[in-house]
Amino acid sequence: MRLVWQLIAIVAVSFLGGQGLVAVQDNPWLTLAIGLATAVVGVVVYTWVVRLTERRPVIEVELKGAAPALTWGTLLGLGLFGLVIVNLAFLGSYTVHGLGSPLGALGLVGFMAAAAVTEELMWRGVLFRIVEGWTGTWIALTITGLLFGLAHLLNQNATLWGAIAIAIEAGGMLTAAYVATRKLWVPIGLHLGWNIAGSAIFSTEVSGNDTPQGLLDATTQGHVLVTGGAFGPEGSLYSVVFCAVTAAVFLVVAHRRGRIVPVRRAARTEVAARLPR
């Protein structure tokens, strides 16, 4: 039942925050404020519901070390997406025409903050963490990664390839970041930095959501496997490769730290006992 109650709590925060963002979407300052408030409330509610249902310290979102982890995770996300854009620009597939909408970019920061935090709490904090306890790291990573990708088929300009790409990029890389650190701050930062770069800075489509214009007035053009097409650069092979490599690095770190939970029940119990709580 803990899975159900935790999901209900985070989904409720995400839904109410989303409704608030829709209501003020024409006001970038209010969008920023409500987005940041949703992120903060999400962490508070997650801490409360996990403590209530599991009777343990909720160290995965503890504030100690949160700021540096969130910062370097965000910088890594910004850098990875920037690397994708550099490669697209080199091929002539990304063109900047001038300044876009700075205020629009501000609103997008708020929107992406709410999305990054609530999605990480839901997918990594609740679903992956609990399923991992039942099945081990590898099976849980595969199952939750595929489900995360499939969930993006509901987006406006979704494609099957885009969903597969998201499953590898976010389902793989963000989960691996959690496994390596056993905290949610790095995956939250990665998710946030990636989405802010794609929307607020480079003004590209994000996950096929018909994303508003950000800081730059820019366009992408070229083969769908290079640009991601209507789904956005997350559907680019560059994104898939860069994120897959990053995920592999995180998983190597997790293995060296003894944080991979094996499939065998006895081994799972033994490893789980050594993991940070």
Side-chain angles (χ1 to χ4, degrees):
M1 286 300 293
R2 59 179 177 143
L3 174 65
V4 175
W5 287 117
Q6 290 174 25
L7 280 179
I8 289 173
I10 302 306
V11 168
V13 173
S14 178
F15 175 78
L16 293 174
Q19 292 302 301
L21 289 168
V22 169
V24 301
Q25 61 184 330
D26 294 328
N27 186 316
W29 292 102
L30 286 178
T31 302
L32 176 64
I34 290 178
L36 294 176
T38 300
V40 172
V41 171
V43 173
V44 171
V45 169
Y46 175 86
T47 303
W48 168 76
V49 74
V50 171
R51 184 178 291 138
L52 182 67
T53 55
E54 298 186 17
R55 307 292 182 182
R56 65 173 179 85
V58 190
I59 66 152
E60 61 266 30
V61 289
E62 67 180 358
L63 295 181
K64 182 180 179 180
L70 188 62
T71 299
W72 85 258
T74 302
L75 291 175
L76 180 58
L78 289 167
L80 282 171
F81 197 92
L83 189 58
V84 173
I85 292 298
V86 166
N87 280 274
L88 295 186
F90 179 77
L91 295 177
S93 295
Y94 178 81
T95 306
V96 176
H97 307 291
L99 188 65
S101 173
L103 282 178
L106 187 70
L108 283 166
V109 169
F111 182 87
M112 294 306 173
V117 172
T118 56
E119 287 184 12
E120 289 311 302
L121 293 173
M122 186 186 311
W123 288 94
R124 260 57 68 178
V126 177
L127 284 169
F128 171 78
R129 181 177 57 81
I130 292 177
V131 173
E132 183 189 37
W134 299 337
T135 67
T137 298
W138 298 113
I139 294 176
L141 188 153
T142 302
I143 291 173
T144 58
L146 288 173
L147 288 175
F148 191 72
L150 290 173
H152 284 74
L153 285 174
L154 300 175
N155 294 350
Q156 185 172 343
N157 297 312
T159 64
L160 179 59
W161 165 245
I164 294 171
I166 286 289
I168 296 170
E169 297 158 5
M173 179 178 68
L174 298 176
T175 303
Y178 169 72
V179 175
T181 62
R182 292 295 164 176
K183 301 285 180 70
L184 286 169
W185 298 116
V186 172
I188 286 173
L190 258 173
H191 198 151
L192 178 63
W194 178 274
N195 281 2
I196 285 178
S199 61
I201 298 175
F202 294 109
S203 298
T204 65
E205 188 66 81
V206 176
S207 304
N209 276 314
D210 196 20
T211 312
Q213 187 179 65
L215 183 63
L216 300 176
D217 177 14
T219 55
T220 57
Q221 59 281 322
H223 195 281
V224 64
L225 290 180
V226 174
T227 66
F231 191 77
E234 285 165 316
S236 168
L237 281 176
Y238 285 114
S239 295
V240 173
V241 171
F242 295 154
C243 291
V245 170
T246 304
V249 171
F250 275 123
L251 289 172
V252 168
V253 171
H255 175 72
R256 290 179 176 176
R257 292 176 176 176
R259 291 176 175 173
I260 301 291
V261 179
V263 174
R264 290 184 298 109
R265 180 179 296 274
R268 288 206 309 273
T269 303
E270 179 184 352
V271 173
R274 301 200 307 266
L275 296 179
R277 292 295 182 189

